[in-house]
Amino acid sequence: MPDRQRERRPTRTISVVPRRLHLAVLSLAVTAALFSPTAASAERWVGADGSGDVEGWHFAPEPEPCGAYTDIDATANTNDDLTRLVVRHTRRDVHLTARFRDLDPAREQSVTLHLTSGSSRGWFFAINRYRAPSGKFRFLSILAKEPSYPDPEDIEDECGAFGFFVFGMSCRERFEVDLEANAIRATVPRSCLKNPRWVRVGVTANGHIAPKDPADETSVGFSDEWGSVDEATSPWLPAYGPKVRAPHGARVGSVGPAPAQASPHRRYVVSPRLP
């Protein structure tokens, strides 16, 4: 696989794992070096995150019906270890960079960038790097509005699972996986976000190792997120960085209808929350 890959494809599925301490998309309380909100400039913000803080677990299907999760040591996992988040807000686009300790070209990964501008619901940009049956690595991505997550107390499934539909937005978002720089870069046009006055961004990273035997239902998962669990305002979303404001002269506010959501809807099943 080349050191640098570019590709945009609508995703059909995103593997999500429960946050062990109340996150559905990504799990882990990190010991992060956070920048205070006053550290953000008008257009650019950089937030560091501690290294060696990836969380890992092993899943076994027994006992039924929910199976069991066992914690494992994941400090050696560099592929999913987030170390920095960068947000640059220009007149036309919002540029995002997630940096990792050491991206592994032989490992699958799912990275989800979450954006909010203070509206009722924000957006997420999910980027999946996976190994196709041919053995080559491929990329899938989707930009969509955040779904309406349920109240944890309202989930009726005995294992804590729930499902939701999302619609991929018809937008000119793009991304780049740069293995040499250990970075994933993404760009979202401001018009797709209704030309916000400011944005706040969070990011999660998930890894997954499946057994080679198709009959083996066990698996190993890894997760990390930028920031601290204590900073999160939702049981289903990661912590967000401070407001990064649009530069002077940038258009603010929706000028017309929101970008059409033309992609077929997709259903996502969230893994059960752990006890």
Side-chain angles (χ1 to χ4, degrees), residues 38 58 70 80 90 97 103 106 108 146 154 164 188 235 255 261:
T38 56
H58 176 271
T70 304
D80 303 303
T90 70
T97 301
L103 287 177
E108 296 183 323
E146 292 281 7
D154 295 335
F164 54 85
V188 181
V255 180
Q261 297 181 330

Side-chain angles (χ1 to χ4, degrees), residues 17 23 25-31 49-57 77-84 99-101 110-112 203-207 222-227 238:
V17 294
L23 257 193
V25 177
L26 195 53
S27 67
L28 182 61
V30 293
T31 52
D49 187 69
S51 62
D53 54 5
V54 176
E55 184 173 89
W57 58 90
N77 183 324
T78 64
N79 187 65
D80 303 303
D81 194 355
L82 286 157
T83 60
R84 180 170 294 189
R99 292 194 178 275
F100 297 82
R101 185 153 51 120
S110 176
V111 174
T112 305
V203 60
T204 61
N206 288 324
F222 304 98
S223 66
D224 192 13
E225 68 180 74
W226 178 88

Side-chain angles (χ1 to χ4, degrees), residues 237-256:
L237 296 171
Y240 288 89
K243 296 177 181 178
V244 183
R245 300 186 181 279
H248 178 72
R251 178 175 293 174
V252 174
S254 181
V255 180

Side-chain angles (χ1 to χ4, degrees), residues 68-249:
Y69 291 86
T70 304
D71 291 333
I72 62 174
D73 183 4
T75 54
N77 183 324
T78 64
N79 187 65
D80 303 303
D81 194 355
L82 286 157
T83 60
R84 180 170 294 189
L85 175 62
V86 182
V87 181
R88 188 163 61 92
H89 199 161
T90 70
R91 292 188 180 187
R92 295 185 56 182
D93 303 302
V94 176
H95 301 276
L96 312 168
T97 301
R99 292 194 178 275
F100 297 82
R101 185 153 51 120
D102 188 11
L103 287 177
D104 187 340
R107 293 281 292 274
E108 296 183 323
Q109 184 186 53
S110 176
V111 174
T112 305
L113 295 147
H114 298 267
L115 303 93
T116 182
S117 63
S119 59
S120 57
R121 282 162 52 193
W123 302 263
F124 72 86
F125 190 0
I127 302 164
N128 289 350
R129 177 164 52 106
Y130 70 100
R131 189 187 298 273
S134 65
K136 295 182 179 180
F137 274 81
R138 296 288 184 263
F139 299 88
L140 295 172
S141 71
I142 185 172
L143 174 68
K145 291 284 289 184
E146 292 281 7
S148 297
Y149 295 106
D151 187 309
E153 301 300 324
D154 295 335
I155 298 175
E156 298 180 355
D157 183 85
E158 63 180 319
C159 300
F162 64 94
F164 54 85
F165 289 95
V166 296
F167 292 81
M169 299 174 63
S170 178
C171 193
R172 294 183 178 274
E173 78 280 3
R174 57 191 184 274
F175 72 89
E176 175 186 52
V177 177
D178 189 340
L179 297 174
E180 183 178 355
N182 297 312
I184 293 179
R185 305 183 185 92
T187 299
V188 181
R190 295 182 67 251
S191 58
C192 300
L193 311 177
K194 298 183 179 180
N195 297 311
R197 188 177 300 278
W198 53 263
V199 295
R200 298 178 66 196
V201 180
V203 60
T204 61
N206 288 324
H208 175 78
I209 300 177
K212 295 181 180 180
D213 182 359
D216 188 347
E217 297 181 1
T218 64
S219 63
V220 174
F222 304 98
S223 66
D224 192 13
E225 68 180 74
W226 178 88
S228 169
V229 169
D230 296 335
E231 300 292 328
T233 58
S234 164
W236 310 120
L237 296 171
Y240 288 89
K243 296 177 181 178
V244 183
R245 300 186 181 279
H248 178 72

